C-alpha cells in the first residue's frame, strides 16, 4: 500500500497592465509594472520550454520572478496543466486579445509528463525522524557555540521545523488509517 498525494494550483494571470490605458499612478502604477515584469519573465520561461530548452539542457529562468518560481512544477514538472485564455470581442481590446491568443499558442507547445508518485507507508515516519534529528543537531550546535544564531542556521531550523509540522499533520495519528483506506481502494 503506497500513499498518493496530489495538489491543485489556480493562478489568475490577469493581463498586462498598461499604465496609459488604466490611468494608474503612484502605487498602482508600480504594481502594474511589477505584474508586467512577472508576465514578461513568464513569457520567456514558456518560450524556452516550448522550444524544448529543458531537454536540451538550456537554463530556464524559473527563479527570475516569484510567479515563475511558484509555477515551476506546473510548467515543467510532474503535472497536468491547463490554461484558460479570456479574450474580448470589443474592437478596443483587439490588441490585448491578439496578444493573449499568441501567449496561449505558445503555452500549448509546453509538454509535461505527469506520473503517479507514491510514498511507501513507512516513508513519512522516516522523514520525520530525519527532520527531528536535524533540528536537534542544529540546536545543539547553537548551544555549543553559545553565539547568536546566524541567519542561515536560523532559516534552516525554521524550514526543518515547518516541514516536520507539515509532515506530522499529514502523517499524525491517522496515518495508519490513511494507509488502510488507500489499500482498500
Amino acid at each position: 500500500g503506497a500513499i498518493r498525494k496530489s495538489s491543485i494550483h489556480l493562478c489568475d494571470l490577469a493581463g498586462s497592465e498598461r499604465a496609459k490605458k488604466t490611468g494608474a499612478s503612484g502605487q498602482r502604477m508600480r504594481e502594474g509594472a511589477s505584474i508586467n515584469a512577472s508576465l514578461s519573465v513568464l513569457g520567456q520561461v514558456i518560450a524556452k520550454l516550448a522550444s524544448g530548452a529543458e531537454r536540451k539542457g538550456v537554463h530556464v529562468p524559473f527563479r527570475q520572478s516569484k510567479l515563475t518560481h511558484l509555477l515551476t512544477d506546473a510548467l515543467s514538472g510532474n503535472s497536468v496543466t491547463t490554461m484558460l485564455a479570456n479574450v474580448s470581442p470589443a474592437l478596443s481590446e483587439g490588441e490585448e486579445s491578439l496578444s493573449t491568443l499568441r501567449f496561449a499558442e505558445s503555452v500549448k507547445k509546453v509538454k509535461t509528463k505527469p506520473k503517479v508518485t507514491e510514498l511507501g507507508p513507512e516513508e513519512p515516519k522516516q522523514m520525520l525522524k530525519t527532520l527531528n534529528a536535524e533540528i536537534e543537531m542544529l540546536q545543539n550546535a547553537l548551544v555549543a557555540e553559545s553565539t547568536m544564531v546566524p541567519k542561515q542556521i536560523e532559516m534552516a531550523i525554521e524550514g526543518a521545523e515547518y516541514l516536520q509540522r507539515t509532515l506530522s499533520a499529514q502523517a499524525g495519528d491517522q496515518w495508519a488509517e490513511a494507509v488502510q483506506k488507500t489499500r482498500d481502494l
Side-chain angles (χ1 to χ4, degrees):
I3 303 303
R4 295 179 183 181
K5 181 184 176 199
S6 65
S7 59
I8 185 169
H9 305 277
L10 302 174
C11 182
D12 180 1
L13 299 178
S16 63
E17 306 298 324
R18 297 182 195 261
K20 273 187 180 177
K21 192 172 186 177
T22 62
S25 63
Q27 180 66 26
R28 286 247 190 240
M29 195 160 109
R30 286 191 294 278
E31 287 173 4
S34 179
I35 290 169
N36 285 342
S38 288
L39 289 174
S40 175
V41 173
L42 179 62
Q44 293 170 18
V45 166
I46 288 177
K48 286 199 175 195
L49 292 172
S51 69
E54 263 195 329
R55 284 171 292 186
K56 298 174 189 171
V58 176
H59 172 71
V60 180
F62 286 113
R63 293 185 177 209
Q64 235 175 350
S65 82
K66 289 179 184 177
L67 174 65
T68 53
H69 185 65
L70 289 170
L71 294 176
T72 300
D73 288 340
L75 294 172
S76 68
N78 182 13
S79 65
V80 175
T81 302
T82 302
M83 180 193 170
L84 302 175
N86 296 314
V87 294
S88 173
L91 285 176
S92 61
E93 301 298 327
E95 190 179 324
E96 293 285 336
S97 294
L98 188 57
S99 175
T100 300
L101 291 171
R102 283 188 188 121
F103 183 74
E105 183 67 28
S106 64
V107 171
K108 280 175 39 176
K109 295 175 185 171
V110 176
K111 303 295 180 210
T112 58
K113 294 184 180 179
K115 294 177 270 182
V116 175
T117 304
E118 298 181 341
L119 288 178
E122 69 288 344
E123 285 184 60
K125 285 185 180 178
Q126 290 172 343
M127 290 172 70
L128 281 172
K129 280 183 182 177
T130 303
L131 286 170
N132 285 331
E134 182 179 344
I135 291 168
E136 188 176 330
M137 179 196 70
L138 289 169
Q139 288 173 333
N140 289 340
L142 289 173
V143 170
E145 294 295 319
S146 65
T147 60
M148 289 197 44
V149 181
K151 199 66 174 163
Q152 282 183 312
I153 294 176
E154 184 179 339
M155 288 172 55
I157 290 173
E158 287 175 6
E161 286 176 337
Y162 173 77
L163 193 53
Q164 186 238 5
R165 284 192 307 272
T166 304
L167 282 171
S168 290
Q170 290 176 0
D173 297 332
Q174 300 146 350
W175 186 255
E177 186 179 316
V179 169
Q180 188 57 47
K181 283 181 181 178
T182 303
R183 285 183 181 144
D184 293 344
L185 293 176

